[in-house]
């Protein structure tokens, strides 16, 4: 009776087929998505058109310093992919060299005779081969001798011939065998202890540790990757003080546990902080560092609050210490402010559901959070002039701008004439000698040139500024200038 039987592949051919297929499923998508690509023309054009002012160049240098390993990673990825393809071709070559043993049983082929051979020819071939492969002979082969005898029986015995014609086997219907794509050494008795040890280490040590570490870290954060302790802190303060002014919101933001080393190992605490932070605090009025409310009075909270106010005041900080801390705090601020707004929304929904509208946070609190987000992005205090958002505008230049309401439109028009950006680079002033109204054209040119001399070219010498001016007035302007009879002082 026919059946099914599973057996391990003694020759290892099935395992190589499985390994080749599995490796192809890995190496082909990995090459398609992971092979480093060169910059396209659009990306090159976008890079060329980037702004090259001093702050932007400094920012790019910082980014490049942090990503200096990118080239090394690209080369490593290329090497690993090439190595993976080498393994793939080696496996393919190995599979191509494997001899296929699963052939159809053919007694005529075993006896080396034609299918139309007579009984006499069959007996003659059997005698010849049986003598050749008899185990007692020097050329003997017991396995081949059994095959020859079985083939002779399949062609001479009626029952064996019938089984061969119906089932392809002289012995009748046999079992259906399936080769398992695993090497036989994996289940050999002498290797059982090593295999068991590998399973124990993998499934009873490594996997529980990995899952435990992942779970321990994930339960500390919300879905927005904000510490749950920080969310509880916001919930406490906004519940306690539904109408919170901007100054208090900044204090609560600085008290976030993301800035505490005991809750966040990424925080750096330096010995120099004991000197640099107090010096910074002296430059910041209304810091309220004497507040005794916990955790607003903790050291990490005062430091974070001082760095936020320094950012709003655009103060220069020590580059290798407080400046690095400021960048880290600013990187965390968008998610933290968003969490504040989410907590306020939850409190409002909860108060409305309990029909206690007096307990929900006021609109002023929401406005303070939104205003704080704007301050973080613009690096400006709430009371600072919005004109400082414009490039090259410093606080000492604000007195040159018209602030009256009636002149607001004129002020915007003048600045629009002053600064033009073309392909990311500030456009120089040009005197339009073809204008029908030369007086107005010269006035606009003069204002634009004065702005350039007080802004980007303020640090240049008078000689260099004059050279720029000669370029801006054009050929006709230089010809007019050459006709003037002026002293050096004039």
């Amino acid at each position: 009776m026919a059946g099914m039987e599973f057996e391990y592949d003694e020759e290892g051919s099935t395992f190589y087929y499985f390994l080749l297929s599995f490796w192809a499923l890995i190496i082909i998508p990995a090459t398609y998505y992971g092979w480093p690509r060169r910059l396209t023309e659009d990306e090159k054009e976008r890079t060329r058109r980037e702004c090259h002012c001093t702050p932007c160049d400094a920012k790019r240098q910082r980014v490049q310093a942090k990503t200096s390993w990118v080239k090394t990673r690209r080369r490593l990825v290329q090497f690993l992919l090439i190595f993976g393809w080498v393994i793939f071709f080696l496996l393919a070559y190995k599979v191509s060299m494997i001899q296929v043993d699963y052939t159809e049983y053919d007694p005529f082929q075993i006896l080396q005779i034609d299918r139309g051979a007579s009984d006499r020819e069959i007996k003659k071939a059997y005698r010849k081969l049986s003598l050749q492969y008899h185990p007692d002979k020097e050329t003997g082969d017991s396995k081949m001798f059994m095959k020859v005898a079985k083939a002779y029986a399949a062609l001479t015995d009626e029952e064996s011939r019938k089984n061969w014609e119906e089932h392809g086997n002289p012995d009748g219907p046999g079992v259906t065998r399936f080769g398992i794509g695993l090497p036989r050494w994996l289940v050999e008795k002498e290797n059982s202890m090593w295999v068991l040890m590998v399973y124990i280490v993998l499934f009873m040590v490594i996997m529980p540790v990995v899952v435990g570490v992942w779970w321990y870290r994930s339960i500390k954060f919300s879905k927005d990757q904000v510490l749950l302790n920080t969310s509880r802190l916001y919930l406490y303060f906004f519940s306690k003080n539904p109408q919170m002014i901007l100054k208090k919101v900044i204090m609560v933001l600085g008290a976030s546990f993301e800035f505490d080393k005991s809750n966040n190992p990424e925080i750096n605490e330096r010995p120099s902080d004991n000197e640099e932070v107090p010096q910074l605090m002296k430059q910041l009025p209304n810091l309220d560092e004497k507040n005794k409310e916990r955790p607003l009075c903790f050291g990490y909270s005062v430091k974070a609050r001082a760095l936020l106010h320094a950012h709003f005041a655009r103060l220069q900080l020590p580059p290798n210490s407080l400046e690095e801390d400021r960048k880290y705090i600013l990187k965390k601020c968008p998610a933290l402010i968003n969490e504040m707004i989410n907590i306020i929304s939850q409190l409002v929904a909860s108060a409305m559901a309990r029909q206690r509208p007096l307990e929900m946070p006021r609109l002023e609190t929401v406005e303070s959070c939104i205003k704080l987000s704007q301050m973080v992005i613009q690096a400006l205090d709430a009371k600072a002039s919005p004109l400082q958002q414009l490039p090259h505008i410093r606080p000492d230049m604000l007195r040159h701008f018209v602030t009256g309401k009636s002149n607001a439109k004129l002020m915007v028009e003048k600045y629009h004439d002053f600064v033009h950006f073309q392909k990311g680079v500030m456009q120089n002033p040009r005197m339009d000698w073809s204008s029908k109204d030369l007086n107005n054209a010269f006035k606009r040119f003069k204002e634009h040139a004065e702005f350039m001399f007080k802004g980007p070219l303020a640090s240049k010498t008078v000689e260099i500024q004059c050279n720029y001016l000669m370029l801006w007035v054009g050929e006709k302007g230089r010809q007019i200038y050459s006709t003037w009879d002026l002293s050096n002082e004039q």
Side-chain angles (χ1 to χ4, degrees), residues 199-212:
Y199 274 96
I200 291 175
V201 172
L202 181 62
F203 293 103
M204 299 183 66
V205 178
I206 297 179
M207 185 174 293
V209 169
V210 172
V211 174

Side-chain angles (χ1 to χ4, degrees), residues 478-485:
R478 289 191 289 271
Q479 292 175 1
I480 296 175
Y481 171 75
S482 63
T483 63
W484 294 354
D485 186 11

Side-chain angles (χ1 to χ4, degrees), residues 187-241:
V187 293
E188 291 180 349
K189 185 176 181 180
E190 55 269 21
N191 298 330
S192 60
M193 183 59 66
W194 294 104
V195 174
L196 181 62
M197 291 296 296
V198 170
Y199 274 96
I200 291 175
V201 172
L202 181 62
F203 293 103
M204 299 183 66
V205 178
I206 297 179
M207 185 174 293
V209 169
V210 172
V211 174
V213 171
W214 169 81
W215 176 253
Y216 175 75
R217 291 181 177 178
S218 62
I219 60 175
K220 296 169 59 177
F221 296 91
S222 66
K223 62 178 182 179
D224 297 323
Q225 295 302 308
V226 176
L227 287 172
L228 294 179
N229 290 337
T230 300
S231 300
R232 298 188 188 100
L233 177 72
Y234 296 163
L235 182 64
Y236 167 76
F237 277 103
F238 289 126
S239 300
K240 180 181 177 182
N241 189 359

Side-chain angles (χ1 to χ4, degrees), residues 265-313:
E266 295 180 357
I267 295 296
N268 292 324
E269 292 183 351
R270 307 176 184 84
S272 59
D273 290 347
N274 297 327
E275 298 180 1
E276 295 176 347
V277 174
Q279 293 176 2
L280 175 62
M281 293 170 59
K282 293 179 181 179
Q283 306 177 46
L284 302 170
N286 302 323
L287 192 59
D288 201 9
E289 68 274 11
K290 296 182 180 180
N291 189 301
K292 299 301 181 182
E293 191 173 8
R294 300 164 63 93
L296 304 182
C297 61
F298 291 171
Y300 82 89
S301 177
V302 176
K303 177 184 175 181
R305 188 158 71 246
L307 292 175
L308 285 172
H309 281 280
H311 175 66
F312 301 149

Side-chain angles (χ1 to χ4, degrees), residues 406-466:
S406 60
N407 295 323
K409 184 177 180 180
L410 177 61
M411 177 187 64
V412 175
E413 290 178 351
K414 286 185 177 181
Y415 184 78
H416 183 268
D417 293 335
F418 286 164
V419 182
H420 298 278
F421 283 88
Q422 185 178 10
K423 297 182 179 181
V425 181
M426 180 174 288
Q427 187 180 29
N428 292 324
R430 288 287 185 270
M431 176 58 192
D432 185 11
W433 296 101
S434 62
S435 175
K436 296 180 180 180
D437 188 357
L438 285 177
N439 289 333
N440 189 32
F442 181 76
K443 181 180 178 181
R444 295 162 68 91
F445 168 74
K446 178 184 176 184
E447 291 173 345
H448 197 170
E450 288 179 347
F451 173 78
M452 295 294 291
F453 290 144
K454 293 178 180 179
L457 301 179
S459 60
K460 304 297 182 182
T461 62
V462 176
E463 182 179 359
I464 295 178
Q465 291 179 350
C466 290

